[in-house]
Amino acid sequence: MAPSVAESQQPARPTAIEAAKPAGKFTVKADPSYEYNKYLPYQETFGKEEPLQYFDHVDPASRADPAKPNLLTADAKLHHLSPYLGTEVSGVQLSKLSNEGLDELALFVAERKFVVFRDQDLKDVSPDQQLEFVTHFGPPHVHPIAVNVEEYPALAVVYRDEERPGFNDYLVGTQINHTGWHSDVSYEKQPPGTTFFYIVDGPESGGDTLFLSSVEAYNRLSPEFKKRLIGLKAVHTAVPQAESAAKRGLPIRRDPVETEHPIVRVHPVTKEKALFINPGFTTRIVGFKKEESDALLGFLFDHIAKGADFHVRASYRPGSVAIWDNRVTAHSAIPDFDRKIRRHHIRLTPQAEKPIPAEEI
């Protein structure tokens, strides 16, 4: 059984992995012709670490100028993918933004939910610079399943190729189609906020990601139904993910946790209400009997999955950096590309506040 993480004691900022170089192994052999061998997946070997603790978080969006003069300059070009979420941006170089520009970026992503910046140099700056960049948005999360860039636990590697098919075998191989809606590591005490995902290598077409607005998903519900959801909590669990990883021989950095979060949360800056449930990690509603919980969660999961009018499909090309607000979105990989092709991404995942429950209106 996962340890209880019902409520906090004293706030404490998460500590980074300390220095001594651990024994470990690369899961992919370096290819001399591949420019980005330094980002290949590496399995760190550690003793079990302590659970993550609560810490104080101030969202940088709270400091931002709503006009965003340091981000959306005259050079910036925007293309909105949907009224509810999704914007493509060109003419802005993320690595060159000032602190004020980064605050405005946090606000822009919170407002648009998902944003993709084209022609970026993030993968070509050093991992230390990348960590410095994302720390502006919160403490970088270290994933409990320890596959990352060597010596950089907070740079999570998403990788598959012909020899390492990843979820193409252990998930997709058993289904006739695939969506896997989730909000990243929603089981943590303080799940991520502004999240960064950049392409290192990938197919010319396919390998995209679906995103949905959980704000718009909440807005579609009737006023009476919304009232019924206010005050409810659901359990988010890391246990199945850890069990699956262990079966595949992956090291587990921290024991899996289960956490209770409000079903309807409030963004700390925009004040928008959002459904905070996902079929990837949400298992039951606190205080409900199993049949009651299954029925309500089943309805909500079906609602977000079928809401094509508040979904967008994000495509990647060289230099793309996708950014989303994990508090007000969910996403699903699309495994629709030739399994012989390498797909290689890095995710940088700053943690945010403890989810704020919505109050009855």
Side-chain angles (χ1 to χ4, degrees), residues 58-287:
V58 177
D59 197 291
S62 65
R63 303 186 294 260
D65 182 338
K68 308 176 190 69
N70 301 283
L71 175 70
L72 303 182
T73 65
D75 295 328
K77 295 180 176 59
L78 309 183
H79 171 62
H80 297 310
L81 305 178
S82 155
Y84 306 114
L85 78 162
T87 300
E88 290 189 1
V89 182
S90 59
V92 175
Q93 189 58 251
L94 295 171
S95 65
K96 308 300 183 187
L97 291 176
S98 63
N99 286 339
E100 293 80 9
L102 295 176
D103 292 345
E104 293 165 14
L105 175 64
L107 179 58
F108 185 53
V109 174
E111 292 171 345
R112 292 301 302 155
K113 316 301 185 284
F114 161 75
V115 182
V116 59
F117 285 80
R118 303 299 189 188
D119 304 317
Q120 299 298 302
D121 63 4
L122 196 59
K123 70 179 183 301
D124 297 310
V125 303
S126 72
D128 289 311
Q129 290 173 288
Q130 294 179 38
L131 285 178
E132 181 181 2
F133 173 82
V134 299
T135 299
H136 186 89
F137 303 88
H141 178 260
V142 175
H143 200 282
I145 312 302
V147 178
N148 47 260
V149 173
E150 185 181 17
E151 297 186 349
Y152 292 93
L155 271 66
V157 180
V158 178
Y159 184 97
R160 64 155 308 283
D161 61 20
E162 185 173 11
E163 296 181 5
R164 282 150 292 272
F167 61 75
N168 272 341
D169 271 0
Y170 70 84
L171 285 181
V172 181
T174 63
Q175 302 170 200
I176 60 173
N177 56 54
H178 174 75
T179 51
W181 291 107
H182 63 285
S183 298
D184 287 329
V185 297
S186 65
Y187 47 74
E188 298 288 18
K189 297 176 181 181
Q190 291 180 237
T194 311
T195 302
F196 298 80
F197 188 69
Y198 67 81
I199 182 172
V200 181
D201 191 24
E204 289 188 11
S205 64
D208 299 342
T209 307
L210 289 172
F211 286 87
L212 65 84
S213 168
S214 49
V215 170
E216 185 60 21
Y218 175 75
N219 289 340
R220 297 295 177 88
L221 301 173
S222 67
E224 290 302 314
F225 197 87
K226 290 177 183 177
K227 288 179 183 178
R228 187 64 191 91
L229 296 181
I230 299 295
L232 295 181
K233 293 183 178 181
V235 173
H236 296 240
T237 181
V239 173
Q241 184 184 68
E243 291 175 343
S244 174
K247 288 178 182 178
R248 290 177 284 131
L250 298 175
I252 310 300
R253 188 185 299 275
R254 296 184 301 275
D255 287 332
V257 297
E258 292 184 340
T259 311
E260 295 177 6
H261 290 313
I263 287 180
V264 183
R265 71 182 295 179
V266 178
H267 193 282
V269 178
T270 68
K271 307 305 180 184
E272 291 180 305
K273 296 180 178 69
L275 289 177
F276 194 60
I277 47 92
N278 66 87
F281 300 119
T282 311
T283 56
R284 61 184 174 84
I285 299 174
V286 177

